[in-house]
Amino acid sequence: MSFFGFGPSADIEIVLDGQDSRKTAEIKTEDGKKEKHLLYYDGETVAGKVNVTMKKAGSKMEHQGIKIEFIGQIELYYDRGNHHEFTSLVKELARPGEITGNTSYGFEFQQVEKPYESYTGANVRLRYFLRVTIVKRLSDSVKEQDIIVHTLSQYPEMNSSIKMEVGIEDCLHIEFEYNKSKYHLKDVIVGKIYFLLVRIKIKHMEIQIIKRESTGTGPNTYNENETIAKYEIMDGAPVRGESIPIRLFLSGYELTPTMRDINKKFSVRYYLNLVLVDE
Amino acid sequence: MPSTPQLSPQEEQEKLLEEGISIVKNQSFQMKRCLDKGKLMDGLKHASTMLGELRTSLLSPKSYYELYMAISDELRHLELYLCDEFQKGRKVADLYELVQYAGNIVPRLYLLITVGVVYIKSNELSRKDILKDLVEMCRGVQHPLRGLFLRNYLLTCTKNVLPDTEEELATNDYEYGTVMDSIDFILLNFSEMNKLWVRMQHQGHTRDRNKREQERRELRILVGTNLVRLSQLECIDMEKYKKVVLPAVLEQVVSCRDPIAQEYLMECIIQVFPDDFHLQTLNPFLKACAELHESVNVKNIIIALVDRLAQFAQNEEGSGIPPEIQLFDIFSDQISQVIQNRPDMPPEDIVALQVALINLALKCYPDKVDFVDKVLETTEDIFNRLNLDHLEYGSPVSKELMRLMKIPVDSYNNILTVLELSHFGPIFDYFDYQSRKLMCSYLINNVLENDTRIPTQDQVDNILNIVNVLVQDQSDQPAEPDDPEDFAEEQVLMGRFIHLLQAEDPNQQYLILNTARKHFGGGGDKRIKFTLPPIVFAAYRLAMRYKEAKEEDENWEKKCQKIFQFCHQTVGALIKADMAEMPLRLFLQGALTAGEIEFENHETVAYEFMSQAFSLYEDEISDSKAQLAAITLIIGTLEQMSCFGDENHEPLRTQCALAASKLLKKPDQCRGVCTCSHLFWSGRSASQEGELQDSKRVSDCLKKGVKIANQCMDSSVQVQLFVELLNHYIYYYEKGNDQVTIQVLNQLIAKIKETLPNLEANEETEQINKHFQNTVEHLKLRRDGSETEGPSYEELVL
């Protein structure tokens, strides 16, 4: 964007209030790297300062106005051009004019609604960011700053255990039980597998956490499954009557909250998969 | 695909193990390096990789064990490091949770156990809860081999941290746990391990069964360690053992229905827990024995227990078996229950159980003969029920039964006590001929070795009934006769045995001899020659006893008379069996004895015995050598006797002389008459005082001898006879027989000297020469000696 002679002659910096004291969180970027940003919750005010620093001391810069936006958007990777902004707030920082020397503008988006959690998935990304634009005649100077949003949820009123008897007729009958049907991100899955009938030679048994990300709607729904965890819970072949304990700590895995139909654009759900491998 | 198909299975194992060990070495090295640098998470990662080696299915139990040992050594290092860190206050938060992220269960659980123990040792979290958690989580490994070793690791690591305090003392320290928690912990681990161990049996191909069973036996110690650990908990007292520990263990053992496990674990229980616990829990234990799988060798288990308790009863002086415990009855009942539960039990095992029982009875209740008898009775009942008899010699059941029967014999070392066992004798009927004979010899040998005297008629009757196989022919004996040497040996035993039949009271002794006579009398010709003579001798001895104690018994003379009648008849039996020399000797011995006892009629009896000897000599002895020997004996006997009056002595001695001169061979005649000459010299008659000293008759005999010698054709024999005659002459000359003069001696010497050099030089001649030289030497000594007594040798020409 910067051409010789016409490039921005000023640096833009967004400094958020409480930068040093506020909690941060990590998020993956599209290319799998991790970034650390400040963490906000729904309804929290996002405020700070925008510093415009001249590159050459004493020079001036003409502009058509300076604004800051707070944007929450969903990016579908297969639809790069279209970003669906579900939140977009604008504040004007300066009317058109001239900046002489370094200038600082305060801003505040009061009690911003942040309905969804930041998310980077296989096919979709939900991000929040601030964008400062210095409007100029030829090319605008733009600076973006990401923040991360975590949503809070209440403990479910009902959280019954999952108990089920499954099997292959005359081969294998098992009953499994997980202590809850809803787990939080640092939860522990506790359960057991009870073998009612074993007529096959089992080599081992593992529990898998499967993450299913659905994007799009209707016939264009696209599902992406990812195995987050593979956890061996049994080695060798049990006999009838054996019960095998399950205990799986979740905090070690990269999990996100379950997301249902976020802005009608995507969902993220988690499944527990019990796998028995025979000889 | 095997990379090197030419490797033998063993080499394959070695190679795999070597590979595993080298990975373990490498990873443990890296683990230690990380730990040294304080990089715990990296260290754990290496530990986990190292533990991944234990996931293998390729190693044999033996190789797996070696790998396991190598790894558990390295894990100890990790444990020490963590304990150290915790002690220094550098606790790693949530370590117990952290190690559980390991994706594979085997490494995860090893790590969890290691960390769990570190937590226990540094008093993090509740000890009791950790133990419970660990033992529960281990359920995840259902592979028998890997599961067994994992749980063994659990057991090893927790060895010194199991709570061992009484419940009531631990109320304020709930977290710490009590001995009950330890018991639950071990019992659960035990039953899980046992299940895994049993499961091994049912995996893999049937053709590998032997190999599999071998492998299982190699692993049994892992399961048994649980019981060892239980036995090491000090707070397990009798109550807890009886109510909690043993029932749970037995429940598991019985319900697993696996012979190898049952056999091993029952023995294990016996070995690891103390005797007084066993004493208090005999019933449940033995009951469990009855419920074991039919192919379990219950006998060995019970025998092991009996042996232990028997030893306990003997070792602990004073304490011993508590009187309220009816040890014998309990065992007796439970063993019969076991036998009843197992209709297929081989009879030798049944007998082996009785052996155990009898050992128990003898060791714990040495003075209770009826216990032993009860065992024998039970044994007899069993044989009856099973319809067993004629147990073949060398068969297992026969061997066991022999063992059973020998126990009371050996332990009492007294046949009289053995006889108190009313069921001892009847059991002999179940043996076959061969076994019966061996057993009987054993019994009699025991009597002989211990020099046991049998003092009553009933006992004698009893024993002889038991050892009947050695006394009489048997209905089941083989057609082929026994080896003559063995037979003789056996019968000699019986002969020796007869000498031990000794009553205090002579009347009882008489009854004893009569009984023995009745038994042995039916033994047939081949046996009586061994058995009747000792009876006759015993009878003669008895007669002597009556004489010695004649003051005490006014009827002694009649009794002696009866004894001699008994002997006469007994010797008669020997004669009927076509024997001559032995009866002859017995008659002569009888005559001697009768002559000495001097009871009323003794002369008649002695005369009868002598005349019987004569008729045997005349009618039955035909061999010339035997004749000479016999007549020499008769002469010798008569010479010794002094009970005969002239009217009896005269015919006897004349008869002797006559018989001697009628011998077939000349040399025999010569020697016979020479011997006979002594009858006329030193013989005694009741009619006159002192020796007969009939010089004339002596001289006649000798002259006759010389005459006969002269008739001998063989010059060598002739000279020999002359030398012998010379000796006789010298004897009489020295005794002062006036018919024997120095001239006679000179003549004889001259004759010998003349003939001797003409003899062919050989060994015989040399002997004759020597005899003569010695004789001459004697004479020289006499002649030149200073002795004044005796006749003069002055005129002797040498």
Side-chain angles (χ1 to χ4, degrees):
Chain A
M1 291 279 273
S2 66
F3 296 94
F4 181 69
F6 300 103
S9 47
D11 284 333
I12 306 166
E13 184 193 19
I14 302 168
V15 180
L16 286 159
D17 285 354
Q19 193 151 14
D20 300 327
S21 54
R22 182 170 279 277
K23 262 210 259 177
T24 58
E26 277 188 345
I27 194 156
K28 263 204 298 192
T29 60
E30 248 175 280
D31 50 12
K33 283 185 197 142
K34 280 191 178 167
E35 277 180 358
K36 201 187 253 183
H37 296 295
L38 294 180
L39 175 65
Y40 287 84
Y41 294 98
D42 185 26
E44 267 190 307
T45 297
V46 179
K49 270 192 284 187
V50 175
N51 296 327
V52 181
T53 317
M54 288 318 202
K55 285 202 173 144
K56 259 193 242 162
S59 67
K60 345 174 187 170
M61 186 176 71
E62 242 180 74
H63 63 83
Q64 304 301 315
I66 303 173
K67 61 175 179 181
I68 184 161
E69 290 163 287
F70 178 87
I71 296 167
Q73 70 176 24
I74 296 168
E75 303 166 13
L76 291 161
Y77 299 162
Y78 54 80
D79 189 13
R80 288 278 174 191
N82 281 318
H83 291 169
H84 304 273
E85 294 184 355
F86 53 86
T87 299
S88 179
L89 302 168
V90 188
K91 299 263 172 189
E92 190 146 288
L93 295 177
R95 302 197 143 260
E98 203 176 61
I99 304 173
T100 55
N102 300 343
T103 321
S104 190
Y105 308 94
F107 69 90
E108 185 178 38
F109 296 98
Q110 272 206 326
Q111 297 171 2
V112 199
E113 227 179 273
K114 303 183 248 342
Y116 311 120
E117 176 140 334
S118 301
Y119 173 76
T120 309
N123 293 315
V124 65
R125 174 151 93 131
L126 188 152
R127 62 187 283 246
Y128 291 90
F129 59 98
L130 290 159
R131 181 161 65 202
V132 177
T133 314
I134 302 175
V135 186
K136 288 197 271 188
R137 207 177 300 147
L138 282 175
S139 67
D140 297 347
S141 290
V142 180
K143 171 74 180 178
E144 287 183 2
Q145 170 71 51
D146 277 79
I147 62 163
I148 292 174
V149 171
H150 280 179
T151 52
L152 296 174
S153 50
Q154 284 178 329
Y155 277 100
E157 277 171 28
M158 285 276 292
N159 197 353
S160 52
S161 60
I162 305 176
K163 199 170 178 179
M164 215 184 279
E165 200 185 309
V166 293
I168 314 164
E169 205 176 342
D170 293 333
C171 270
L172 181 73
H173 279 236
I174 61 171
E175 186 182 281
F176 62 79
E177 184 177 351
Y178 300 113
N179 60 334
K180 295 177 191 172
S181 46
K182 299 174 177 112
Y183 292 94
H184 61 75
L185 297 178
K186 314 243 166 191
D187 218 337
V188 190
I189 300 174
V190 176
K192 68 172 174 216
I193 315 284
Y194 187 71
F195 285 84
L196 298 163
L197 174 80
V198 190
R199 293 232 177 100
I200 50 173
K201 284 181 178 170
I202 297 171
K203 254 163 64 180
H204 63 97
M205 173 166 70
E206 62 185 28
I207 195 166
Q208 297 176 339
I209 302 174
I210 308 281
K211 172 179 162 186
R212 172 181 288 185
E213 184 186 282
S214 321
T215 45
T217 46
N220 298 324
T221 309
Y222 187 69
N223 288 328
E224 180 81 31
N225 287 342
E226 185 190 352
T227 306
I228 302 290
K230 271 187 170 185
Y231 194 71
E232 190 184 20
I233 53 170
M234 186 184 76
D235 171 34
V239 291
R240 197 165 64 97
E242 214 63 71
S243 92
I244 307 300
I246 304 171
R247 183 162 65 211
L248 176 57
F249 291 91
L250 292 177
S251 65
Y253 301 104
E254 284 178 0
L255 296 176
T256 66
T258 294
M259 301 184 192
R260 280 191 191 82
D261 210 11
I262 299 302
N263 206 29
K264 300 211 168 83
K265 289 285 179 268
F266 75 100
S267 300
V268 179
R269 289 167 203 274
Y270 289 90
Y271 299 88
L272 284 177
N273 205 10
L274 190 66
V275 184
L276 288 110
V277 181
D278 66 352
E279 280 181 355
Chain B
M1 191 183 76
S3 52
T4 42
Q6 69 271 29
L7 286 184
S8 74
Q10 199 185 338
E11 289 167 330
E12 187 80 24
Q13 281 296 310
E14 280 169 10
K15 190 166 159 265
L16 285 167
L17 178 62
E18 204 177 299
E19 283 165 9
I21 297 265
S22 88
I23 294 175
V24 168
K25 272 187 186 152
N26 184 20
Q27 291 297 325
S28 73
F29 173 73
Q30 305 218 36
M31 172 187 84
K32 287 176 197 164
R33 225 168 55 165
C34 292
L35 295 180
D36 288 347
K37 287 184 187 158
K39 290 183 186 163
L40 176 62
M41 288 318 290
D42 291 334
L44 288 176
K45 228 168 257 164
H46 287 300
S48 176
T49 315
M50 168 177 82
L51 284 163
E53 288 303 302
L54 285 178
R55 297 179 65 215
T56 179
S57 297
L58 300 171
L59 292 180
S60 69
K62 229 173 132 203
S63 308
Y64 194 87
Y65 169 77
E66 281 183 44
L67 186 67
Y68 163 85
M69 287 310 284
I71 288 181
S72 64
D73 272 354
E74 302 301 342
L75 287 178
R76 202 158 306 128
H77 186 88
L78 177 64
E79 186 195 318
L80 284 175
Y81 169 81
L82 290 172
C83 278
D84 214 36
E85 289 290 295
F86 272 63
Q87 219 157 33
K88 285 181 191 154
R90 287 205 285 270
K91 284 178 194 166
V92 183
D94 302 330
L95 190 57
Y96 194 70
E97 180 184 322
L98 260 163
V99 292
Q100 295 187 52
Y101 284 106
N104 285 315
I105 186 159
V106 170
R108 182 198 317 147
L109 290 177
Y110 274 95
L111 285 176
L112 188 66
I113 292 167
T114 312
V115 171
V117 170
V118 172
Y119 267 49
I120 289 175
K121 285 184 176 163
S122 27
N123 286 318
E124 290 281 316
L125 305 183
S126 150
R127 168 177 306 220
K128 164 183 166 167
D129 292 346
I130 292 175
L131 288 174
K132 197 176 266 173
D133 188 51
L134 292 177
V135 76
E136 275 293 332
M137 292 312 283
C138 284
R139 284 183 195 274
V141 180
Q142 292 289 323
H143 183 275
L145 187 63
R146 295 194 282 271
L148 279 172
F149 276 98
L150 175 73
R151 286 187 178 274
N152 182 65
Y153 182 68
L154 173 64
L155 207 55
T156 312
C157 286
T158 51
K159 183 176 177 184
N160 296 316
V161 297
L162 292 177
D164 196 5
T165 49
E166 296 287 351
E167 295 130 274
E168 54 267 31
L169 295 176
T171 39
N172 10 350
D173 199 358
Y174 169 80
E175 300 277 283
Y176 186 84
T178 69
V179 70
M180 289 311 289
D181 296 304
S182 299
I183 293 175
D184 290 345
F185 172 81
I186 301 173
L187 283 177
L188 178 57
N189 199 51
F190 165 68
S191 64
E192 289 300 316
M193 279 179 94
N194 191 43
K195 282 193 261 176
L196 291 172
W197 190 41
V198 171
R199 205 180 293 166
M200 282 185 90
Q201 187 71 27
H202 309 290
Q203 289 181 343
H205 212 281
T206 33
R207 66 162 176 257
D208 296 332
R209 195 169 141 196
N210 284 344
K211 182 172 161 247
R212 202 156 51 234
E213 290 186 350
Q214 178 56 33
E215 288 176 351
R216 284 194 62 206
R217 289 205 171 81
E218 286 167 9
L219 292 170
R220 61 185 188 178
I221 183 81
L222 300 179
V223 185
T225 310
N226 286 289
L227 301 182
V228 173
R229 203 66 81 234
L230 278 173
S231 75
Q232 286 165 339
L233 291 173
E234 284 178 7
C235 285
I236 294 185
D237 54 13
M238 183 78 78
E239 243 354 74
K240 289 197 186 72
Y241 179 74
K242 202 170 174 176
K243 294 225 168 101
V244 185
V245 177
L246 185 67
V249 173
L250 288 179
E251 214 280 316
Q252 171 58 223
V253 174
V254 170
S255 68
C256 79
R257 312 264 323 126
D258 176 78
I260 294 179
Q262 290 184 334
E263 206 163 314
Y264 170 66
L265 292 172
M266 291 303 266
E267 291 221 41
C268 216
I269 295 173
I270 297 172
Q271 299 310 330
V272 303
F273 292 108
D275 297 308
D276 36 344
F277 281 19
H278 294 318
L279 281 174
Q280 299 292 343
T281 51
L282 287 173
N283 275 320
F285 185 87
L286 292 170
K287 216 165 161 185
C289 285
E291 291 169 13
L292 297 180
H293 190 274
E294 59 210 356
S295 62
V296 170
N297 198 337
V298 185
K299 153 198 111 167
N300 287 355
I301 299 168
I302 294 177
I303 290 171
L305 183 60
V306 168
D307 286 350
R308 245 199 99 149
L309 293 180
Q311 214 169 13
F312 174 72
Q314 287 186 319
N315 281 354
E316 304 255 320
E317 288 207 16
S319 72
I321 309 292
E324 73 273 13
I325 298 176
Q326 302 297 317
L327 199 55
F328 180 80
D329 293 334
I330 293 172
F331 269 103
S332 183
D333 293 349
Q334 296 289 356
I335 286 177
S336 70
Q337 192 59 48
V338 167
I339 294 169
Q340 217 167 51
N341 276 12
R342 292 162 175 260
D344 294 336
M345 196 180 209
E348 57 267 29
D349 284 7
I350 297 179
V351 179
L353 283 173
Q354 305 302 325
V355 168
L357 204 51
I358 217 165
N359 269 326
L360 177 86
L362 282 166
K363 285 182 182 149
C364 299
Y365 306 97
D367 41 355
K368 289 252 190 181
V369 177
D370 51 331
F371 281 176
V372 176
D373 204 26
K374 194 181 161 190
V375 178
L376 295 174
E377 184 183 1
T378 316
T379 313
E380 199 189 343
D381 289 348
I382 291 165
F383 278 75
N384 253 330
R385 211 179 56 229
L386 296 178
N387 249 331
L388 286 170
D389 54 8
H390 286 93
L391 303 173
E392 195 188 329
Y393 172 69
S395 66
V397 57
S398 167
K399 275 187 191 160
E400 275 304 326
L401 190 60
M402 279 205 188
R403 204 153 76 89
L404 177 75
M405 302 297 280
K406 282 176 182 177
I407 290 168
V409 176
D410 287 339
S411 80
Y412 292 132
N413 271 328
N414 184 343
I415 184 88
L416 302 180
T417 318
V418 174
L419 288 180
E420 287 173 45
L421 306 167
S422 58
H423 296 275
F424 183 81
I427 292 187
F428 275 71
D429 295 342
Y430 293 93
F431 284 117
D432 73 349
Y433 175 72
Q434 178 79 354
S435 319
R436 214 156 61 232
K437 240 173 36 167
L438 274 174
M439 259 323 287
C440 291
S441 299
Y442 191 83
L443 191 64
I444 296 298
N445 261 317
N446 182 277
V447 178
L448 292 171
E449 274 162 27
N450 291 290
D451 203 20
T452 316
R453 314 289 160 109
I454 322 294
T456 71
Q457 182 198 9
D458 286 348
Q459 287 163 332
V460 170
D461 196 39
N462 218 332
I463 297 177
L464 292 178
N465 276 328
I466 292 175
V467 301
N468 189 261
V469 69
L470 299 180
V471 177
Q472 291 176 350
D473 280 347
Q474 304 291 304
S475 55
D476 61 344
Q477 76 186 22
E480 221 160 278
D482 295 327
D483 176 64
E485 259 179 54
D486 292 350
F487 179 79
E489 203 171 300
E490 240 170 61
Q491 293 303 314
V492 167
L493 274 186
M494 295 315 286
R496 290 170 60 199
F497 170 71
I498 289 167
H499 290 292
L500 291 171
L501 310 179
Q502 292 180 20
E504 291 274 327
D505 172 43
N507 297 331
Q508 181 67 243
Q509 179 72 11
Y510 181 70
L511 294 175
I512 285 180
L513 293 178
N514 261 305
T515 306
R517 165 78 178 85
K518 257 178 231 143
H519 281 278
F520 289 111
D525 295 356
K526 279 197 295 181
R527 287 193 187 84
I528 55 173
K529 109 176 165 200
F530 292 96
T531 49
L532 292 190
I535 292 180
V536 173
F537 274 100
Y540 292 155
R541 201 160 50 230
L542 177 61
M544 293 301 281
R545 274 177 70 189
Y546 275 115
K547 183 205 171 190
E548 278 158 25
K550 59 182 173 191
E551 316 298 327
E552 291 158 32
D553 191 342
E554 54 182 21
N555 286 327
W556 74 275
E557 290 184 295
K558 271 190 190 145
K559 285 175 180 168
C560 281
Q561 175 92 19
K562 236 172 143 188
I563 289 170
F564 281 98
Q565 262 165 17
F566 168 84
C567 293
H568 191 278
Q569 181 230 351
T570 306
V571 178
L574 287 168
I575 297 168
K576 274 192 202 117
D578 276 340
M579 266 171 273
E581 288 167 55
M582 175 61 82
L584 181 127
R585 284 170 164 76
L586 290 172
F587 274 133
L588 293 176
Q589 188 65 40
L592 264 178
T593 314
E596 233 167 282
I597 293 177
E598 294 178 337
F599 58 102
E600 180 192 8
N601 245 348
H602 72 280
E603 192 182 343
T604 322
V605 170
Y607 188 81
E608 165 66 12
F609 274 52
M610 282 307 283
S611 61
Q612 284 292 338
F614 262 115
S615 34
L616 275 174
Y617 171 78
E618 282 162 0
D619 303 342
E620 307 292 343
I621 300 177
S622 52
D623 178 67
S624 59
K625 254 189 204 148
Q627 278 184 342
L628 176 64
I631 196 66
T632 311
L633 261 179
I634 294 173
I635 294 167
T637 307
L638 186 58
E639 193 267 346
Q640 287 289 306
M641 294 178 69
S642 56
C643 65
F644 293 118
D646 255 347
E647 75 281 11
N648 283 331
H649 203 271
E650 223 284 323
L652 284 174
R653 64 187 183 233
T654 315
Q655 189 61 33
C656 284
L658 195 65
S661 59
K662 275 189 185 161
L663 285 165
L664 179 68
K665 294 181 182 167
K666 291 288 168 191
D668 291 349
Q669 279 180 14
C670 172
R671 288 179 177 125
V673 291
C674 288
T675 311
C676 203
S677 68
H678 292 272
L679 274 183
F680 299 98
W681 188 258
S682 52
R684 291 158 192 268
S685 152
S687 315
Q688 64 180 77
E689 279 288 303
E691 298 178 343
L692 290 173
Q693 300 209 346
D694 185 340
S695 304
K696 173 79 175 53
R697 295 288 297 271
V698 169
S699 169
D700 287 352
C701 282
L702 294 181
K703 273 183 193 152
K704 195 169 182 185
V706 174
K707 200 176 120 200
I708 296 167
N710 274 319
Q711 292 166 352
C712 278
M713 304 280 289
D714 184 335
S715 52
S716 164
V717 174
Q718 195 179 43
V719 179
Q720 198 175 356
L721 289 172
F722 281 138
V723 176
E724 284 169 26
L725 274 163
L726 173 63
N727 275 282
H728 283 286
Y729 273 113
I730 295 169
Y731 171 81
Y732 288 115
Y733 182 72
E734 283 175 10
K735 290 284 177 192
N737 185 327
D738 50 13
Q739 297 281 317
V740 179
T741 62
I742 205 91
Q743 280 74 31
V744 180
L745 297 186
N746 283 340
Q747 271 170 25
L748 259 177
I749 292 168
K751 173 106 181 155
I752 292 166
K753 276 186 171 171
E754 181 195 314
T755 337
L756 199 52
N758 303 333
L759 291 186
E760 220 176 295
N762 59 24
E763 210 175 301
E764 207 185 347
T765 311
E766 204 169 300
Q767 241 173 22
I768 298 166
N769 202 20
K770 185 81 194 154
H771 191 183
F772 179 62
Q773 290 309 322
N774 286 343
T775 313
V776 170
E777 200 64 29
H778 171 80
L779 288 172
K780 270 187 189 153
L781 278 171
R782 283 281 162 167
R783 190 186 59 186
D784 309 336
S786 52
E787 260 178 83
T788 49
E789 267 177 56
S792 144
Y793 283 94
E794 273 170 33
E795 291 164 54
L796 189 69
V797 181
L798 289 174

